[in-house]
Amino acid sequence: MSSSTPAPDLGPRAGAAPLSLCAREPHVPADRLVAEMVPPPRFDSVRFDTYVPDPGRPSQSEAVRVLEEFAGGLGGAHAVGGAKRGLFGFGRSRAPKAPAGPRGVYLDGGYGVGKTHLLASLWHATPADPSLKAFGTFVELTNLVGALGFQQTVRTLSGHRLLCIDEFELDDPGDTVLVSTLLGKLVEAGVALAATSNTLPGKLGEGRFAAVDFLREIQGLSAHFRTLRIDGEDYRHRGLPEAPAPCSDEAVTRAAHATEGASLDDFTHLLEHLAKVHPSRYGALTDGLRAVCLTDVRPVPDQSTALRLVVLADRLYDREVPVLASGLPFDRLFSEEMLNGGYRKKYFRAISRLTALARDGQRLTAPA
């Protein structure tokens, strides 16, 4: 959340009835969507020198080197006398021309190799006022277009030095055309791009829709980026114990009542409620939460529900909200069919992040 956004109400004191996500129907004004395009709380303090490369994975150290150089190249004035300047300060006339070669960097790698850490570090390292830098997930970017309209989004972001897009995914043809056009406009305006994804830019959309029918748009997106492959294992599980076993319903309920700012919801009811809230509001849905307590976790019944849960897991992880649950462990949320399908990388990321939050949630059951 940006510093200009008022601190949310943290809810009742410990011992009072816990909060409920199912009772929340947040409204998020468009100006808040713009103001919150900064690295989330988990990544407020990350920097390149706090990233710990795996010595056995040289691609990680190489990514840091390239990104530090990239950030240093963004130090020139973005506009002089009303004329926009390019990535490394090259001037342009009034009529912008499409620059030659990639205008951004694209971090490709498996979940848990530190791509978001590096992307946020790039944002922090770029020598520009925070108001001239934007950071958001792919979902948040498309939601911004929905809230502001396409032309206003172009106008809003065209004055920026850098746009960072985390979790870049193309889940449907409409998003493909929309984002391809938007990024093309921003590149013409001199905005540098950086993105992370689990999928190479030329492979975006595969397994989810007829990507071959939108090959021109996908290739156009790919042309904006220099791809950096980052290899490695999921740092969230590197040297850590197995995911904690779920608690009993009674233990979860007791912890929710004893924890200030905790929510308590039945898992199935929460999934039903998520269908009534636009994913752009899931961040606001979690405002002020100190913990999320869930009872009777069960397998997710269908793909639409699963994708909504992925977005919620991302927002909880961004905000470092611990999760305590009863029922099934999180690695059994998604069916084998889902884990072998086109969205498998999203589901594995959600499992990884929820497992990390479940470890954090263990402290809620510790004796005071």
Short mmCIF file of all heavy atoms in Angstrom, two decimals, residues 24-70:
data_model
loop_
_atom_site.label_atom_id
_atom_site.label_comp_id
_atom_site.label_asym_id
_atom_site.label_seq_id
_atom_site.Cartn_x
_atom_site.Cartn_y
_atom_site.Cartn_z
N ARG A 24 -17.03 -9.07 3.89
CA ARG A 24 -16.43 -7.88 3.29
C ARG A 24 -16.76 -7.79 1.80
O ARG A 24 -16.62 -8.75 1.07
CB ARG A 24 -14.91 -7.90 3.46
CG ARG A 24 -14.46 -7.77 4.91
CD ARG A 24 -12.95 -7.73 5.01
NE ARG A 24 -12.52 -7.22 6.31
CZ ARG A 24 -11.28 -6.84 6.59
NH1 ARG A 24 -10.34 -6.89 5.66
NH2 ARG A 24 -10.97 -6.40 7.80
N GLU A 25 -17.18 -6.60 1.37
CA GLU A 25 -17.42 -6.32 -0.04
C GLU A 25 -16.77 -4.98 -0.35
O GLU A 25 -17.43 -3.95 -0.46
CB GLU A 25 -18.92 -6.29 -0.34
CG GLU A 25 -19.62 -7.63 -0.09
CD GLU A 25 -21.09 -7.61 -0.41
OE1 GLU A 25 -21.57 -6.54 -0.88
OE2 GLU A 25 -21.77 -8.62 -0.19
N PRO A 26 -15.45 -4.97 -0.48
CA PRO A 26 -14.72 -3.70 -0.59
C PRO A 26 -14.97 -2.98 -1.91
O PRO A 26 -15.16 -3.60 -2.95
CB PRO A 26 -13.25 -4.12 -0.48
CG PRO A 26 -13.24 -5.54 -0.97
CD PRO A 26 -14.55 -6.14 -0.54
N HIS A 27 -14.96 -1.66 -1.83
CA HIS A 27 -14.98 -0.81 -3.03
C HIS A 27 -13.61 -0.18 -3.17
O HIS A 27 -13.07 0.37 -2.20
CB HIS A 27 -16.06 0.27 -2.91
CG HIS A 27 -15.97 1.32 -3.97
ND1 HIS A 27 -16.28 1.06 -5.29
CD2 HIS A 27 -15.59 2.63 -3.91
CE1 HIS A 27 -16.11 2.16 -6.00
NE2 HIS A 27 -15.69 3.13 -5.20
N VAL A 28 -13.04 -0.25 -4.35
CA VAL A 28 -11.70 0.28 -4.57
C VAL A 28 -11.77 1.36 -5.64
O VAL A 28 -11.94 1.06 -6.82
CB VAL A 28 -10.72 -0.84 -5.01
CG1 VAL A 28 -9.31 -0.27 -5.14
CG2 VAL A 28 -10.73 -1.99 -4.01
N PRO A 29 -11.63 2.64 -5.27
CA PRO A 29 -11.67 3.71 -6.27
C PRO A 29 -10.46 3.64 -7.19
O PRO A 29 -9.40 3.13 -6.82
CB PRO A 29 -11.66 4.99 -5.42
CG PRO A 29 -11.08 4.58 -4.11
CD PRO A 29 -11.46 3.15 -3.90
N ALA A 30 -10.62 4.17 -8.39
CA ALA A 30 -9.55 4.09 -9.39
C ALA A 30 -8.28 4.76 -8.92
O ALA A 30 -7.17 4.28 -9.20
CB ALA A 30 -10.03 4.71 -10.70
N ASP A 31 -8.39 5.87 -8.17
CA ASP A 31 -7.17 6.56 -7.75
C ASP A 31 -6.36 5.72 -6.77
O ASP A 31 -5.14 5.82 -6.71
CB ASP A 31 -7.49 7.93 -7.15
CG ASP A 31 -8.45 7.87 -5.96
OD1 ASP A 31 -9.00 6.78 -5.69
OD2 ASP A 31 -8.64 8.91 -5.30
N ARG A 32 -7.04 4.84 -6.02
CA ARG A 32 -6.29 3.95 -5.14
C ARG A 32 -5.53 2.91 -5.95
O ARG A 32 -4.41 2.55 -5.60
CB ARG A 32 -7.24 3.27 -4.15
CG ARG A 32 -6.54 2.18 -3.34
CD ARG A 32 -7.39 1.58 -2.24
NE ARG A 32 -6.73 0.38 -1.71
CZ ARG A 32 -7.18 -0.30 -0.66
NH1 ARG A 32 -8.26 0.10 0.00
NH2 ARG A 32 -6.54 -1.38 -0.25
N LEU A 33 -6.14 2.42 -7.03
CA LEU A 33 -5.44 1.45 -7.87
C LEU A 33 -4.14 2.03 -8.40
O LEU A 33 -3.11 1.34 -8.46
CB LEU A 33 -6.34 1.02 -9.04
CG LEU A 33 -7.59 0.21 -8.69
CD1 LEU A 33 -8.40 -0.05 -9.96
CD2 LEU A 33 -7.24 -1.09 -8.01
N VAL A 34 -4.16 3.30 -8.79
CA VAL A 34 -2.96 3.95 -9.30
C VAL A 34 -1.96 4.17 -8.17
O VAL A 34 -0.77 3.88 -8.30
CB VAL A 34 -3.31 5.29 -9.98
CG1 VAL A 34 -2.04 6.02 -10.43
CG2 VAL A 34 -4.23 5.06 -11.17
N ALA A 35 -2.43 4.68 -7.03
CA ALA A 35 -1.53 4.99 -5.91
C ALA A 35 -0.84 3.75 -5.37
O ALA A 35 0.28 3.83 -4.86
CB ALA A 35 -2.32 5.68 -4.80
N GLU A 36 -1.49 2.59 -5.50
CA GLU A 36 -0.94 1.37 -4.93
C GLU A 36 -0.06 0.59 -5.91
O GLU A 36 0.34 -0.53 -5.63
CB GLU A 36 -2.07 0.47 -4.42
CG GLU A 36 -2.75 1.06 -3.20
CD GLU A 36 -3.76 0.12 -2.58
OE1 GLU A 36 -4.14 -0.87 -3.24
OE2 GLU A 36 -4.18 0.37 -1.44
N MET A 37 0.28 1.20 -7.05
CA MET A 37 1.17 0.54 -7.99
C MET A 37 2.63 0.73 -7.55
O MET A 37 3.44 1.39 -8.21
CB MET A 37 0.92 1.03 -9.41
CG MET A 37 -0.43 0.59 -9.96
SD MET A 37 -0.56 0.78 -11.76
CE MET A 37 0.46 -0.60 -12.33
N VAL A 38 2.93 0.16 -6.40
CA VAL A 38 4.27 0.15 -5.81
C VAL A 38 4.52 -1.28 -5.31
O VAL A 38 3.58 -2.06 -5.18
CB VAL A 38 4.38 1.15 -4.64
CG1 VAL A 38 4.16 2.58 -5.14
CG2 VAL A 38 3.39 0.82 -3.53
N PRO A 39 5.78 -1.65 -5.04
CA PRO A 39 6.02 -2.99 -4.51
C PRO A 39 5.22 -3.23 -3.23
O PRO A 39 5.10 -2.33 -2.39
CB PRO A 39 7.54 -2.99 -4.23
CG PRO A 39 8.09 -2.02 -5.23
CD PRO A 39 7.05 -0.94 -5.32
N PRO A 40 4.64 -4.42 -3.06
CA PRO A 40 3.83 -4.71 -1.88
C PRO A 40 4.68 -4.77 -0.62
O PRO A 40 5.91 -4.81 -0.68
CB PRO A 40 3.20 -6.07 -2.21
CG PRO A 40 4.14 -6.69 -3.20
CD PRO A 40 4.70 -5.56 -4.00
N PRO A 41 4.03 -4.77 0.55
CA PRO A 41 4.76 -4.71 1.83
C PRO A 41 5.88 -5.74 1.96
O PRO A 41 6.94 -5.42 2.50
CB PRO A 41 3.66 -4.93 2.87
CG PRO A 41 2.44 -4.38 2.22
CD PRO A 41 2.56 -4.70 0.76
N ARG A 42 5.66 -6.95 1.50
CA ARG A 42 6.71 -7.97 1.62
C ARG A 42 8.00 -7.54 0.93
O ARG A 42 9.10 -7.98 1.32
CB ARG A 42 6.21 -9.30 1.03
CG ARG A 42 7.24 -10.43 1.08
CD ARG A 42 6.67 -11.72 0.55
NE ARG A 42 5.68 -12.31 1.43
CZ ARG A 42 5.96 -13.13 2.44
NH1 ARG A 42 7.21 -13.46 2.68
NH2 ARG A 42 5.00 -13.62 3.18
N PHE A 43 7.89 -6.69 -0.08
CA PHE A 43 9.06 -6.32 -0.87
C PHE A 43 9.44 -4.85 -0.70
O PHE A 43 10.15 -4.29 -1.52
CB PHE A 43 8.81 -6.65 -2.34
CG PHE A 43 8.54 -8.12 -2.57
CD1 PHE A 43 7.23 -8.59 -2.70
CD2 PHE A 43 9.57 -9.02 -2.61
CE1 PHE A 43 6.98 -9.94 -2.89
CE2 PHE A 43 9.34 -10.38 -2.79
CZ PHE A 43 8.04 -10.84 -2.94
N ASP A 44 8.97 -4.22 0.41
CA ASP A 44 9.31 -2.83 0.68
C ASP A 44 10.81 -2.62 0.84
O ASP A 44 11.35 -1.61 0.39
CB ASP A 44 8.61 -2.35 1.97
CG ASP A 44 7.22 -1.81 1.71
OD1 ASP A 44 6.90 -1.55 0.53
OD2 ASP A 44 6.45 -1.66 2.67
N SER A 45 11.47 -3.54 1.52
CA SER A 45 12.86 -3.32 1.90
C SER A 45 13.86 -4.15 1.08
O SER A 45 15.05 -4.13 1.37
CB SER A 45 13.05 -3.62 3.39
OG SER A 45 12.70 -4.96 3.68
N VAL A 46 13.40 -4.90 0.09
CA VAL A 46 14.33 -5.72 -0.69
C VAL A 46 15.18 -4.83 -1.58
O VAL A 46 14.74 -3.78 -2.05
CB VAL A 46 13.60 -6.79 -1.53
CG1 VAL A 46 12.76 -7.70 -0.65
CG2 VAL A 46 12.74 -6.15 -2.62
N ARG A 47 16.40 -5.25 -1.80
CA ARG A 47 17.32 -4.57 -2.70
C ARG A 47 18.17 -5.64 -3.39
O ARG A 47 18.16 -6.81 -2.99
CB ARG A 47 18.24 -3.60 -1.93
CG ARG A 47 17.50 -2.48 -1.19
CD ARG A 47 16.81 -1.52 -2.14
NE ARG A 47 16.23 -0.37 -1.44
CZ ARG A 47 15.02 -0.34 -0.90
NH1 ARG A 47 14.23 -1.41 -0.96
NH2 ARG A 47 14.58 0.77 -0.30
N PHE A 48 18.92 -5.24 -4.40
CA PHE A 48 19.78 -6.21 -5.07
C PHE A 48 20.76 -6.86 -4.10
O PHE A 48 21.04 -8.06 -4.20
CB PHE A 48 20.55 -5.53 -6.21
CG PHE A 48 19.70 -5.19 -7.40
CD1 PHE A 48 19.71 -3.90 -7.93
CD2 PHE A 48 18.90 -6.14 -8.02
CE1 PHE A 48 18.92 -3.58 -9.02
CE2 PHE A 48 18.12 -5.84 -9.12
CZ PHE A 48 18.13 -4.54 -9.62
N ASP A 49 21.27 -6.09 -3.12
CA ASP A 49 22.26 -6.67 -2.21
C ASP A 49 21.63 -7.54 -1.13
O ASP A 49 22.34 -8.16 -0.35
CB ASP A 49 23.15 -5.59 -1.60
CG ASP A 49 22.38 -4.55 -0.80
OD1 ASP A 49 21.16 -4.71 -0.63
OD2 ASP A 49 23.00 -3.56 -0.36
N THR A 50 20.29 -7.59 -1.06
CA THR A 50 19.64 -8.52 -0.13
C THR A 50 19.21 -9.81 -0.83
O THR A 50 18.69 -10.72 -0.18
CB THR A 50 18.42 -7.88 0.55
OG1 THR A 50 17.41 -7.59 -0.43
CG2 THR A 50 18.80 -6.60 1.28
N TYR A 51 19.39 -9.86 -2.14
CA TYR A 51 19.11 -11.10 -2.88
C TYR A 51 20.32 -12.01 -2.72
O TYR A 51 21.47 -11.60 -2.91
CB TYR A 51 18.90 -10.76 -4.36
CG TYR A 51 18.59 -11.96 -5.24
CD1 TYR A 51 17.32 -12.51 -5.26
CD2 TYR A 51 19.56 -12.51 -6.06
CE1 TYR A 51 17.02 -13.59 -6.08
CE2 TYR A 51 19.28 -13.59 -6.88
CZ TYR A 51 18.00 -14.13 -6.88
OH TYR A 51 17.72 -15.20 -7.68
N VAL A 52 20.07 -13.25 -2.33
CA VAL A 52 21.16 -14.20 -2.08
C VAL A 52 21.17 -15.24 -3.20
O VAL A 52 20.39 -16.19 -3.19
CB VAL A 52 21.00 -14.90 -0.72
CG1 VAL A 52 22.17 -15.84 -0.46
CG2 VAL A 52 20.87 -13.87 0.39
N PRO A 53 22.04 -15.05 -4.21
CA PRO A 53 22.08 -16.01 -5.32
C PRO A 53 22.55 -17.38 -4.86
O PRO A 53 23.40 -17.50 -3.96
CB PRO A 53 23.09 -15.37 -6.30
CG PRO A 53 23.23 -13.95 -5.87
CD PRO A 53 22.99 -13.95 -4.40
N ASP A 54 22.01 -18.40 -5.46
CA ASP A 54 22.46 -19.77 -5.23
C ASP A 54 23.80 -19.93 -5.96
O ASP A 54 23.87 -19.74 -7.18
CB ASP A 54 21.42 -20.74 -5.78
CG ASP A 54 21.77 -22.20 -5.52
OD1 ASP A 54 22.95 -22.51 -5.27
OD2 ASP A 54 20.85 -23.04 -5.57
N PRO A 55 24.89 -20.27 -5.23
CA PRO A 55 26.20 -20.39 -5.90
C PRO A 55 26.21 -21.39 -7.04
O PRO A 55 27.01 -21.28 -7.98
CB PRO A 55 27.13 -20.84 -4.76
CG PRO A 55 26.44 -20.42 -3.51
CD PRO A 55 24.98 -20.52 -3.80
N GLY A 56 25.30 -22.38 -6.98
CA GLY A 56 25.25 -23.38 -8.03
C GLY A 56 24.41 -22.99 -9.22
O GLY A 56 24.25 -23.77 -10.17
N ARG A 57 23.85 -21.76 -9.18
CA ARG A 57 22.98 -21.28 -10.26
C ARG A 57 23.50 -19.94 -10.75
O ARG A 57 23.03 -18.87 -10.32
CB ARG A 57 21.54 -21.14 -9.76
CG ARG A 57 20.97 -22.40 -9.13
CD ARG A 57 20.62 -23.44 -10.17
NE ARG A 57 19.95 -24.60 -9.55
CZ ARG A 57 19.37 -25.56 -10.23
NH1 ARG A 57 19.36 -25.50 -11.55
NH2 ARG A 57 18.80 -26.57 -9.62
N PRO A 58 24.49 -19.92 -11.63
CA PRO A 58 25.09 -18.66 -12.08
C PRO A 58 24.11 -17.71 -12.75
O PRO A 58 24.36 -16.50 -12.80
CB PRO A 58 26.20 -19.10 -13.04
CG PRO A 58 25.88 -20.52 -13.41
CD PRO A 58 25.17 -21.10 -12.23
N SER A 59 23.00 -18.22 -13.26
CA SER A 59 22.03 -17.34 -13.90
C SER A 59 21.45 -16.34 -12.91
O SER A 59 21.01 -15.25 -13.30
CB SER A 59 20.90 -18.16 -14.53
OG SER A 59 20.20 -18.91 -13.55
N GLN A 60 21.44 -16.69 -11.62
CA GLN A 60 20.90 -15.77 -10.62
C GLN A 60 21.81 -14.56 -10.43
O GLN A 60 21.35 -13.41 -10.41
CB GLN A 60 20.68 -16.52 -9.30
CG GLN A 60 19.64 -17.61 -9.39
CD GLN A 60 19.35 -18.28 -8.05
OE1 GLN A 60 19.82 -17.84 -7.00
NE2 GLN A 60 18.56 -19.35 -8.08
N SER A 61 23.12 -14.79 -10.32
CA SER A 61 24.06 -13.67 -10.21
C SER A 61 24.08 -12.83 -11.48
O SER A 61 24.17 -11.60 -11.43
CB SER A 61 25.47 -14.21 -9.92
OG SER A 61 25.52 -14.89 -8.69
N GLU A 62 23.97 -13.50 -12.63
CA GLU A 62 23.95 -12.78 -13.90
C GLU A 62 22.72 -11.88 -13.99
O GLU A 62 22.80 -10.75 -14.50
CB GLU A 62 23.96 -13.77 -15.06
CG GLU A 62 23.83 -13.16 -16.45
CD GLU A 62 25.00 -12.29 -16.86
OE1 GLU A 62 25.99 -12.24 -16.11
OE2 GLU A 62 24.92 -11.67 -17.93
N ALA A 63 21.58 -12.34 -13.49
CA ALA A 63 20.36 -11.52 -13.52
C ALA A 63 20.54 -10.26 -12.68
O ALA A 63 20.12 -9.17 -13.09
CB ALA A 63 19.17 -12.34 -13.01
N VAL A 64 21.16 -10.39 -11.52
CA VAL A 64 21.42 -9.22 -10.69
C VAL A 64 22.29 -8.22 -11.43
O VAL A 64 22.00 -7.01 -11.46
CB VAL A 64 22.09 -9.63 -9.36
CG1 VAL A 64 22.51 -8.38 -8.57
CG2 VAL A 64 21.15 -10.49 -8.52
N ARG A 65 23.35 -8.69 -12.08
CA ARG A 65 24.26 -7.80 -12.80
C ARG A 65 23.53 -7.06 -13.92
O ARG A 65 23.65 -5.83 -14.05
CB ARG A 65 25.42 -8.60 -13.39
CG ARG A 65 26.47 -7.75 -14.09
CD ARG A 65 27.46 -8.59 -14.88
NE ARG A 65 26.83 -9.26 -16.02
CZ ARG A 65 26.55 -8.64 -17.17
NH1 ARG A 65 26.81 -7.34 -17.32
NH2 ARG A 65 25.98 -9.30 -18.16
N VAL A 66 22.75 -7.79 -14.71
CA VAL A 66 22.04 -7.17 -15.83
C VAL A 66 21.02 -6.15 -15.34
O VAL A 66 20.89 -5.05 -15.90
CB VAL A 66 21.36 -8.26 -16.69
CG1 VAL A 66 20.44 -7.63 -17.74
CG2 VAL A 66 22.39 -9.14 -17.36
N LEU A 67 20.30 -6.49 -14.29
CA LEU A 67 19.28 -5.58 -13.79
C LEU A 67 19.87 -4.33 -13.15
O LEU A 67 19.30 -3.24 -13.26
CB LEU A 67 18.38 -6.31 -12.78
CG LEU A 67 17.48 -7.39 -13.39
CD1 LEU A 67 16.77 -8.17 -12.29
CD2 LEU A 67 16.46 -6.77 -14.34
N GLU A 68 21.02 -4.47 -12.50
CA GLU A 68 21.68 -3.28 -11.95
C GLU A 68 22.09 -2.33 -13.08
O GLU A 68 21.93 -1.11 -12.97
CB GLU A 68 22.90 -3.69 -11.13
CG GLU A 68 22.55 -4.28 -9.77
CD GLU A 68 23.77 -4.68 -8.97
OE1 GLU A 68 24.77 -5.12 -9.57
OE2 GLU A 68 23.72 -4.54 -7.73
N GLU A 69 22.59 -2.89 -14.17
CA GLU A 69 22.94 -2.06 -15.33
C GLU A 69 21.70 -1.42 -15.94
O GLU A 69 21.71 -0.26 -16.34
CB GLU A 69 23.68 -2.91 -16.37
CG GLU A 69 25.07 -3.35 -15.95
CD GLU A 69 25.76 -4.17 -17.03
OE1 GLU A 69 25.12 -4.42 -18.09
OE2 GLU A 69 26.91 -4.57 -16.82
N PHE A 70 20.64 -2.21 -16.01
CA PHE A 70 19.38 -1.71 -16.57
C PHE A 70 18.87 -0.53 -15.75
O PHE A 70 18.47 0.50 -16.30
CB PHE A 70 18.36 -2.84 -16.59
CG PHE A 70 17.08 -2.52 -17.31
CD1 PHE A 70 17.02 -2.48 -18.68
CD2 PHE A 70 15.93 -2.26 -16.58
CE1 PHE A 70 15.83 -2.18 -19.34
CE2 PHE A 70 14.74 -1.96 -17.23
CZ PHE A 70 14.69 -1.92 -18.61
#
